[in-house]
Amino acid sequence: MRIEGVELRYVCLPLRTAFETSFARETDKECLLVRLFGEGLQGWGEVVAMSAPLYNEETLETCWHILRDVLIPFTLKSDWDRPEDWCRAVGHIRRNYMARAGLEAALWDLYSQCQNLSLAQLWGGTRQRVEVGISLGIENTLEDLFPQIEAGINQGYRRIKLKIKPGWDVQVLQAVRKRWPELVLQVDANSAYRLEQAEHLAELDQFDLLLIEQPLEHDDIVDHASLAGRLKTPICLDESIDSVDQCRRALDLGSAKIINIKPGRVGGYTASRAIHDHCLSRSIPCWVGGMLETGIGRLPNLALASMPNFTLPGDISASKRYFRRDLIDPEVVLEDDGRVRVPERPGVGQFLDWKALDLYTRRSEKYTG
Ligand code: OSB
Ligand code: MG
Protein backbone atom coordinates (compact mmCIF):
# COMPACT_ATOMS: atom_id res chain seq x y z
CA MET A 1 0.00 0.00 0.00
CA ARG A 2 1.34 3.38 -1.00
CA ILE A 3 0.24 6.18 1.36
CA GLU A 4 -0.02 9.46 -0.53
CA GLY A 5 -1.24 11.74 2.21
CA VAL A 6 -2.30 11.83 5.84
CA GLU A 7 -4.78 14.07 7.61
CA LEU A 8 -4.85 14.56 11.36
CA ARG A 9 -8.04 15.79 12.99
CA TYR A 10 -8.63 16.85 16.55
CA VAL A 11 -12.24 16.13 17.45
CA CYS A 12 -14.23 16.88 20.59
CA LEU A 13 -17.60 15.26 21.27
CA PRO A 14 -19.73 16.10 24.28
CA LEU A 15 -20.26 13.12 26.60
CA ARG A 16 -23.87 12.51 27.68
CA THR A 17 -22.72 12.44 31.29
CA ALA A 18 -19.35 13.10 32.92
CA PHE A 19 -17.11 10.04 33.38
CA GLU A 20 -14.96 10.00 36.52
CA THR A 21 -12.06 7.67 37.26
CA SER A 22 -9.69 7.74 40.23
CA PHE A 23 -7.48 10.11 38.21
CA ALA A 24 -9.75 12.40 36.15
CA ARG A 25 -13.24 13.62 35.43
CA GLU A 26 -14.04 13.86 31.71
CA THR A 27 -16.97 15.83 30.33
CA ASP A 28 -15.99 15.65 26.67
CA LYS A 29 -14.45 12.94 24.56
CA GLU A 30 -11.40 14.43 22.88
CA CYS A 31 -9.31 12.45 20.45
CA LEU A 32 -7.27 12.58 17.27
CA LEU A 33 -8.32 10.88 14.09
CA VAL A 34 -5.79 9.68 11.56
CA ARG A 35 -6.98 9.61 7.96
CA LEU A 36 -4.78 7.93 5.37
CA PHE A 37 -5.12 8.44 1.62
CA GLY A 38 -3.78 5.66 -0.61
CA GLU A 39 -4.75 3.10 -3.25
CA GLY A 40 -7.69 5.35 -4.12
CA LEU A 41 -9.10 4.63 -0.66
CA GLN A 42 -9.12 6.16 2.82
CA GLY A 43 -8.19 4.52 6.09
CA TRP A 44 -9.25 5.86 9.48
CA GLY A 45 -7.86 5.32 12.97
CA GLU A 46 -8.48 6.81 16.41
CA VAL A 47 -5.80 7.98 18.85
CA VAL A 48 -7.12 7.30 22.34
CA ALA A 49 -4.77 9.51 24.38
CA MET A 50 -6.33 12.00 26.77
CA SER A 51 -5.61 15.73 26.94
CA ALA A 52 -3.56 15.24 30.12
CA PRO A 53 -1.01 12.47 30.92
CA LEU A 54 -3.10 10.83 33.64
CA TYR A 55 -3.81 7.34 32.27
CA ASN A 56 -0.40 6.94 30.67
CA GLU A 57 2.34 9.42 29.79
CA GLU A 58 0.92 10.40 26.41
CA THR A 59 -1.32 13.36 25.62
CA LEU A 60 -3.14 14.46 22.48
CA GLU A 61 -0.38 17.03 21.92
CA THR A 62 2.46 14.51 22.26
CA CYS A 63 0.60 12.22 19.87
CA TRP A 64 0.10 15.02 17.35
CA HIS A 65 3.83 15.78 17.55
CA ILE A 66 4.97 12.16 17.22
CA LEU A 67 2.59 11.56 14.34
CA ARG A 68 3.43 14.76 12.44
CA ASP A 69 7.20 14.76 13.00
CA VAL A 70 8.08 11.08 13.24
CA LEU A 71 5.48 8.51 12.21
CA ILE A 72 3.81 10.25 9.26
CA PRO A 73 7.04 11.24 7.42
CA PHE A 74 8.27 7.67 7.94
CA THR A 75 5.01 6.18 6.65
CA LEU A 76 5.00 8.35 3.52
CA LYS A 77 8.51 7.22 2.57
CA SER A 78 7.79 3.55 1.75
CA ASP A 79 5.27 1.06 0.44
CA TRP A 80 3.63 -1.19 3.04
CA ASP A 81 2.50 -4.68 2.12
CA ARG A 82 0.89 -5.34 5.46
CA PRO A 83 0.30 -3.35 8.68
CA GLU A 84 2.58 -5.79 10.52
CA ASP A 85 5.48 -4.71 8.27
CA TRP A 86 4.91 -1.12 9.32
CA CYS A 87 4.89 -2.15 13.01
CA ARG A 88 8.22 -3.91 12.60
CA ALA A 89 9.67 -0.91 10.78
CA VAL A 90 8.71 1.53 13.56
CA GLY A 91 9.82 -0.94 16.25
CA HIS A 92 12.96 1.09 17.01
CA ILE A 93 10.88 4.06 18.17
CA ARG A 94 10.45 4.14 21.93
CA ARG A 95 6.94 3.94 23.40
CA ASN A 96 4.41 6.54 22.21
CA TYR A 97 2.07 3.57 21.85
CA MET A 98 -1.16 5.52 21.48
CA ALA A 99 0.28 7.65 18.69
CA ARG A 100 1.38 4.62 16.74
CA ALA A 101 -1.79 2.65 17.46
CA GLY A 102 -3.87 5.41 15.82
CA LEU A 103 -1.86 5.24 12.61
CA GLU A 104 -1.68 1.46 12.67
CA ALA A 105 -5.49 1.28 12.98
CA ALA A 106 -5.81 3.44 9.86
CA LEU A 107 -3.43 1.09 8.01
CA TRP A 108 -5.57 -1.88 9.06
CA ASP A 109 -8.66 -0.06 7.82
CA LEU A 110 -7.03 0.55 4.44
CA TYR A 111 -5.63 -2.97 4.28
CA SER A 112 -8.98 -4.58 5.01
CA GLN A 113 -10.56 -2.57 2.19
CA CYS A 114 -7.73 -3.53 -0.21
CA GLN A 115 -8.23 -7.22 0.67
CA ASN A 116 -12.00 -6.90 0.74
CA LEU A 117 -12.01 -8.77 4.04
CA SER A 118 -13.45 -7.61 7.35
CA LEU A 119 -11.05 -6.92 10.22
CA ALA A 120 -12.54 -9.90 12.08
CA GLN A 121 -11.76 -12.14 9.10
CA LEU A 122 -8.21 -10.79 8.89
CA TRP A 123 -7.66 -11.35 12.60
CA GLY A 124 -9.15 -14.82 12.85
CA GLY A 125 -12.29 -13.76 14.68
CA THR A 126 -14.57 -16.65 15.58
CA ARG A 127 -17.72 -14.85 16.81
CA GLN A 128 -20.28 -12.80 14.95
CA ARG A 129 -21.43 -11.09 18.11
CA VAL A 130 -19.47 -10.33 21.27
CA GLU A 131 -20.47 -9.96 24.91
CA VAL A 132 -20.02 -6.48 26.30
CA GLY A 133 -20.24 -4.76 29.65
CA ILE A 134 -20.61 -1.24 30.91
CA SER A 135 -18.10 0.81 32.89
CA LEU A 136 -19.57 3.20 35.46
CA GLY A 137 -17.59 6.12 36.85
CA ILE A 138 -17.17 7.39 40.39
CA GLU A 139 -20.14 9.41 41.63
CA ASN A 140 -20.80 11.62 44.63
CA THR A 141 -23.50 9.45 46.13
CA LEU A 142 -25.11 6.04 45.80
CA GLU A 143 -28.25 7.83 44.64
CA ASP A 144 -26.27 8.99 41.60
CA LEU A 145 -24.84 5.52 40.92
CA PHE A 146 -27.79 3.18 41.47
CA PRO A 147 -29.96 4.41 38.58
CA GLN A 148 -27.02 3.85 36.23
CA ILE A 149 -26.59 0.27 37.40
CA GLU A 150 -30.33 -0.27 37.08
CA ALA A 151 -30.30 1.13 33.54
CA GLY A 152 -27.27 -0.97 32.57
CA ILE A 153 -28.97 -4.14 33.79
CA ASN A 154 -32.23 -3.27 32.05
CA GLN A 155 -30.44 -2.57 28.79
CA GLY A 156 -28.98 -6.07 29.04
CA TYR A 157 -25.29 -5.45 29.66
CA ARG A 158 -23.47 -8.66 30.57
CA ARG A 159 -21.56 -7.25 33.51
CA ILE A 160 -21.08 -4.02 35.34
CA LYS A 161 -17.67 -2.53 36.07
CA LEU A 162 -17.44 0.06 38.82
CA LYS A 163 -14.61 2.52 39.12
CA ILE A 164 -13.26 2.60 42.68
CA LYS A 165 -10.81 4.63 44.76
CA PRO A 166 -10.14 4.97 48.50
CA GLY A 167 -13.37 6.33 49.98
CA TRP A 168 -15.48 4.91 47.12
CA ASP A 169 -15.02 1.18 47.47
CA VAL A 170 -16.10 -1.14 50.31
CA GLN A 171 -19.23 0.74 51.33
CA VAL A 172 -20.33 1.20 47.76
CA LEU A 173 -19.87 -2.49 46.98
CA GLN A 174 -21.68 -3.45 50.18
CA ALA A 175 -24.69 -1.46 49.08
CA VAL A 176 -24.54 -2.68 45.47
CA ARG A 177 -24.27 -6.34 46.52
CA LYS A 178 -27.15 -5.96 48.95
CA ARG A 179 -29.38 -4.66 46.19
CA TRP A 180 -28.09 -6.94 43.38
CA PRO A 181 -26.73 -10.18 44.93
CA GLU A 182 -26.42 -11.97 41.57
CA LEU A 183 -24.97 -9.18 39.43
CA VAL A 184 -21.81 -9.97 37.47
CA LEU A 185 -19.58 -7.29 38.91
CA GLN A 186 -15.96 -6.16 38.59
CA VAL A 187 -14.02 -3.09 39.75
CA ASP A 188 -11.27 -0.87 38.33
CA ALA A 189 -9.01 1.19 40.60
CA ASN A 190 -6.79 2.77 37.94
CA SER A 191 -3.78 2.59 40.29
CA ALA A 192 -5.46 4.33 43.22
CA TYR A 193 -3.98 2.05 45.93
CA ARG A 194 -0.57 1.08 47.33
CA LEU A 195 0.63 -2.32 48.49
CA GLU A 196 0.36 -1.12 52.12
CA GLN A 197 -3.40 -1.09 51.61
CA ALA A 198 -3.50 -4.84 50.86
CA GLU A 199 -5.57 -5.56 53.94
CA HIS A 200 -8.13 -2.98 52.96
CA LEU A 201 -8.25 -4.36 49.41
CA ALA A 202 -8.80 -7.86 50.82
CA GLU A 203 -12.14 -6.61 52.19
CA LEU A 204 -13.30 -6.61 48.57
CA ASP A 205 -13.01 -10.41 48.52
CA GLN A 206 -16.39 -10.71 50.22
CA PHE A 207 -18.22 -9.24 47.19
CA ASP A 208 -17.66 -12.08 44.73
CA LEU A 209 -16.06 -9.86 42.12
CA LEU A 210 -15.11 -11.23 38.72
CA LEU A 211 -11.83 -9.32 39.00
CA ILE A 212 -10.11 -6.24 40.34
CA GLU A 213 -8.44 -4.19 37.63
CA GLN A 214 -5.11 -2.39 38.16
CA PRO A 215 -5.25 -1.75 41.92
CA LEU A 216 -1.59 -0.63 42.21
CA GLU A 217 0.87 1.60 40.35
CA HIS A 218 0.58 1.97 36.58
CA ASP A 219 4.12 0.70 35.93
CA ASP A 220 4.27 -2.01 38.58
CA ILE A 221 4.23 -5.77 38.12
CA VAL A 222 6.15 -6.66 41.29
CA ASP A 223 3.88 -5.31 44.01
CA HIS A 224 0.90 -6.71 42.11
CA ALA A 225 2.47 -10.17 42.47
CA SER A 226 2.74 -9.64 46.24
CA LEU A 227 -0.82 -8.39 46.40
CA ALA A 228 -2.07 -11.39 44.41
CA GLY A 229 -0.94 -13.67 47.25
CA ARG A 230 -3.10 -11.71 49.67
CA LEU A 231 -6.34 -11.46 47.67
CA LYS A 232 -8.86 -14.07 46.61
CA THR A 233 -10.26 -11.79 43.90
CA PRO A 234 -8.30 -12.28 40.64
CA ILE A 235 -6.13 -9.34 39.64
CA CYS A 236 -6.49 -8.08 36.08
CA LEU A 237 -3.83 -5.74 34.72
CA ASP A 238 -4.58 -2.82 32.42
CA GLU A 239 -2.08 0.08 32.66
CA SER A 240 0.96 -2.11 33.47
CA ILE A 241 0.76 -4.27 30.35
CA ASP A 242 2.17 -2.33 27.42
CA SER A 243 3.71 -5.14 25.34
CA VAL A 244 3.67 -8.89 24.88
CA ASP A 245 7.00 -9.08 26.75
CA GLN A 246 5.63 -7.19 29.72
CA CYS A 247 2.60 -9.47 29.65
CA ARG A 248 4.83 -12.55 29.72
CA ARG A 249 6.83 -11.15 32.65
CA ALA A 250 3.70 -10.27 34.61
CA LEU A 251 2.28 -13.76 34.10
CA ASP A 252 5.63 -15.34 35.07
CA LEU A 253 5.62 -13.33 38.29
CA GLY A 254 1.99 -14.18 39.05
CA SER A 255 0.96 -10.51 38.98
CA ALA A 256 -2.29 -11.14 37.10
CA LYS A 257 -4.73 -13.93 36.27
CA ILE A 258 -6.60 -11.93 33.63
CA ILE A 259 -5.43 -9.38 31.05
CA ASN A 260 -7.25 -6.31 29.75
CA ILE A 261 -6.08 -5.55 26.20
CA LYS A 262 -6.43 -2.02 24.85
CA PRO A 263 -4.91 -1.51 21.41
CA GLY A 264 -3.98 2.11 22.19
CA ARG A 265 -2.02 1.15 25.29
CA VAL A 266 0.08 -1.51 23.55
CA GLY A 267 0.80 0.17 20.20
CA GLY A 268 -2.01 -1.25 18.09
CA TYR A 269 -3.86 -4.30 16.86
CA THR A 270 -0.77 -6.27 15.86
CA ALA A 271 0.54 -6.08 19.44
CA SER A 272 -2.96 -6.73 20.81
CA ARG A 273 -3.22 -9.93 18.79
CA ALA A 274 0.23 -11.04 19.97
CA ILE A 275 -0.80 -10.53 23.60
CA HIS A 276 -4.07 -12.36 22.95
CA ASP A 277 -2.13 -15.31 21.47
CA HIS A 278 0.35 -15.35 24.33
CA CYS A 279 -2.45 -15.38 26.90
CA LEU A 280 -4.28 -18.12 24.99
CA SER A 281 -1.15 -20.29 25.08
CA ARG A 282 -1.09 -19.89 28.87
CA SER A 283 -4.85 -20.28 29.44
CA ILE A 284 -5.14 -16.70 30.68
CA PRO A 285 -8.50 -15.11 29.80
CA CYS A 286 -8.54 -11.68 28.13
CA TRP A 287 -11.05 -8.96 27.45
CA VAL A 288 -10.98 -5.84 25.30
CA GLY A 289 -10.76 -2.64 27.34
CA GLY A 290 -12.03 0.77 26.31
CA MET A 291 -11.00 4.41 26.33
CA LEU A 292 -14.45 5.89 25.64
CA GLU A 293 -13.75 5.43 21.94
CA THR A 294 -15.84 7.03 19.25
CA GLY A 295 -17.26 4.62 16.72
CA ILE A 296 -14.04 4.89 14.72
CA GLY A 297 -12.12 3.19 17.52
CA ARG A 298 -15.05 1.08 18.70
CA LEU A 299 -15.61 -0.87 15.45
CA PRO A 300 -12.08 -2.33 15.23
CA ASN A 301 -12.24 -3.12 18.96
CA LEU A 302 -15.35 -5.20 18.26
CA ALA A 303 -13.47 -7.07 15.54
CA LEU A 304 -10.61 -7.70 17.96
CA ALA A 305 -13.04 -8.97 20.60
CA SER A 306 -14.29 -11.61 18.16
CA MET A 307 -11.00 -13.53 18.60
CA PRO A 308 -11.34 -16.78 20.58
CA ASN A 309 -9.52 -15.92 23.82
CA PHE A 310 -11.55 -12.78 24.54
CA THR A 311 -13.75 -14.79 26.86
CA LEU A 312 -14.83 -12.02 29.24
CA PRO A 313 -17.20 -9.16 28.27
CA GLY A 314 -15.38 -6.14 26.79
CA ASP A 315 -15.70 -2.43 27.59
CA ILE A 316 -17.29 -1.89 24.18
CA SER A 317 -20.70 -0.54 25.05
CA ALA A 318 -23.24 0.95 22.63
CA SER A 319 -22.48 4.38 21.14
CA LYS A 320 -25.39 5.91 23.03
CA ARG A 321 -23.88 4.94 26.38
CA TYR A 322 -21.46 7.85 25.87
CA PHE A 323 -22.61 9.98 22.95
CA ARG A 324 -25.76 11.71 21.78
CA ARG A 325 -24.34 11.37 18.33
CA ASP A 326 -21.40 9.15 17.36
CA LEU A 327 -19.09 9.65 14.36
CA ILE A 328 -20.42 6.56 12.58
CA ASP A 329 -23.68 5.54 10.97
CA PRO A 330 -25.08 3.09 11.87
CA GLU A 331 -23.93 3.48 15.46
CA VAL A 332 -22.83 0.62 17.69
CA VAL A 333 -25.97 -0.87 19.25
CA LEU A 334 -26.56 -3.38 22.01
CA GLU A 335 -28.74 -6.35 21.12
CA ASP A 336 -31.28 -7.69 23.62
CA ASP A 337 -29.02 -10.38 25.00
CA GLY A 338 -26.14 -8.03 25.90
CA ARG A 339 -24.14 -8.62 22.77
CA VAL A 340 -22.92 -6.36 20.00
CA ARG A 341 -22.59 -7.37 16.38
CA VAL A 342 -19.09 -7.55 14.91
CA PRO A 343 -18.81 -5.54 11.66
CA GLU A 344 -19.05 -7.86 8.67
CA ARG A 345 -17.88 -5.38 6.07
CA PRO A 346 -14.24 -4.35 5.57
CA GLY A 347 -12.80 -1.43 7.48
CA VAL A 348 -14.42 1.46 9.30
CA GLY A 349 -14.15 4.23 6.71
CA GLN A 350 -17.42 3.36 5.02
CA PHE A 351 -19.41 3.74 8.24
CA LEU A 352 -18.52 7.42 8.72
CA ASP A 353 -21.13 10.04 9.57
CA TRP A 354 -19.53 12.94 7.69
CA LYS A 355 -21.86 15.58 9.08
CA ALA A 356 -21.04 14.57 12.65
CA LEU A 357 -17.34 14.43 11.82
CA ASP A 358 -17.32 17.97 10.50
CA LEU A 359 -19.49 19.17 13.35
CA TYR A 360 -17.05 17.89 15.97
CA THR A 361 -13.72 18.58 14.22
CA ARG A 362 -11.89 21.47 15.90
CA ARG A 363 -8.63 21.40 13.98
CA SER A 364 -7.16 19.50 11.05
CA GLU A 365 -3.91 19.39 9.12
CA LYS A 366 -2.84 17.49 6.02
CA TYR A 367 0.59 16.11 5.25
CA THR A 368 1.93 14.83 1.93
CA GLY A 369 5.29 13.32 1.00
O1 OSB B 1 -9.06 2.04 32.94
O2 OSB B 1 -10.42 1.11 31.64
C1 OSB B 1 -9.92 2.14 32.06
C2 OSB B 1 -11.61 5.14 30.44
C3 OSB B 1 -10.57 6.03 30.39
C4 OSB B 1 -9.36 5.68 30.91
C5 OSB B 1 -9.17 4.41 31.48
C6 OSB B 1 -10.21 3.50 31.51
C7 OSB B 1 -11.46 3.88 31.02
C8 OSB B 1 -12.65 3.04 31.06
C9 OSB B 1 -13.63 3.24 29.95
O3 OSB B 1 -12.89 2.28 31.96
C10 OSB B 1 -14.35 2.04 29.53
C11 OSB B 1 -15.09 2.28 28.24
O4 OSB B 1 -14.50 2.76 27.24
O5 OSB B 1 -16.28 2.00 28.21
MG1 MG C 1 -8.78 0.03 33.45
Side-chain angles (χ1 to χ4, degrees), residues 193-352:
Y193 299 88
R194 313 272 312 173
L195 184 57
E196 299 85 79
Q197 292 162 294
E199 224 166 285
H200 175 70
L201 287 169
E203 288 182 51
L204 300 176
D205 283 341
Q206 61 186 299
F207 302 120
D208 189 26
L209 303 174
L210 200 55
L211 57 89
I212 176 168
E213 189 178 342
Q214 197 70 37
L216 308 181
E217 296 286 271
H218 69 99
D219 57 355
D220 166 72
I221 54 172
V222 175
D223 285 355
H224 276 111
S226 309
L227 180 64
R230 299 170 64 177
L231 296 187
K232 285 202 207 78
T233 309
I235 293 176
C236 168
L237 289 177
D238 173 353
E239 282 89 331
S240 317
I241 304 300
D242 47 22
S243 65
V244 68
D245 282 321
Q246 197 66 352
C247 177
R248 172 180 52 76
R249 295 178 195 116
L251 297 179
D252 285 350
L253 286 174
S255 318
K257 288 217 160 59
I258 299 168
I259 300 292
N260 163 328
I261 300 182
K262 290 180 183 170
R265 193 191 68 225
V266 303
Y269 291 93
T270 305
S272 296
R273 293 169 68 208
I275 296 172
H276 164 278
D277 294 352
H278 182 76
C279 288
L280 178 60
S281 76
R282 302 179 67 159
S283 306
I284 294 290
C286 299
W287 53 285
V288 175
M291 294 292 289
L292 317 179
E293 284 86 354
T294 76
I296 292 173
R298 212 163 276 270
L299 292 178
N301 281 358
L302 286 167
L304 182 68
S306 73
M307 292 176 69
N309 196 41
F310 287 109
T311 49
L312 295 173
D315 274 346
I316 324 175
S317 41
S319 299
K320 71 168 186 209
R321 147 83 181 108
Y322 290 118
F323 311 112
R324 270 182 217 297
R325 184 171 181 185
D326 201 344
L327 301 178
I328 54 167
D329 183 16
E331 298 192 338
V332 173
V333 292
L334 187 73
E335 304 200 334
D336 293 339
D337 58 353
R339 290 191 173 86
V340 171
R341 210 160 268 288
V342 176
E344 284 167 21
R345 283 187 287 157
V348 300
Q350 52 190 315
F351 300 93
L352 294 179

Side-chain angles (χ1 to χ4, degrees), residues 70-71 74 86-95 100:
V70 182
L71 296 173
F74 186 81
W86 181 89
C87 289
R88 223 169 291 123
V90 297
H92 63 289
I93 295 166
R94 294 281 186 242
R95 303 193 61 84
R100 51 174 116 180

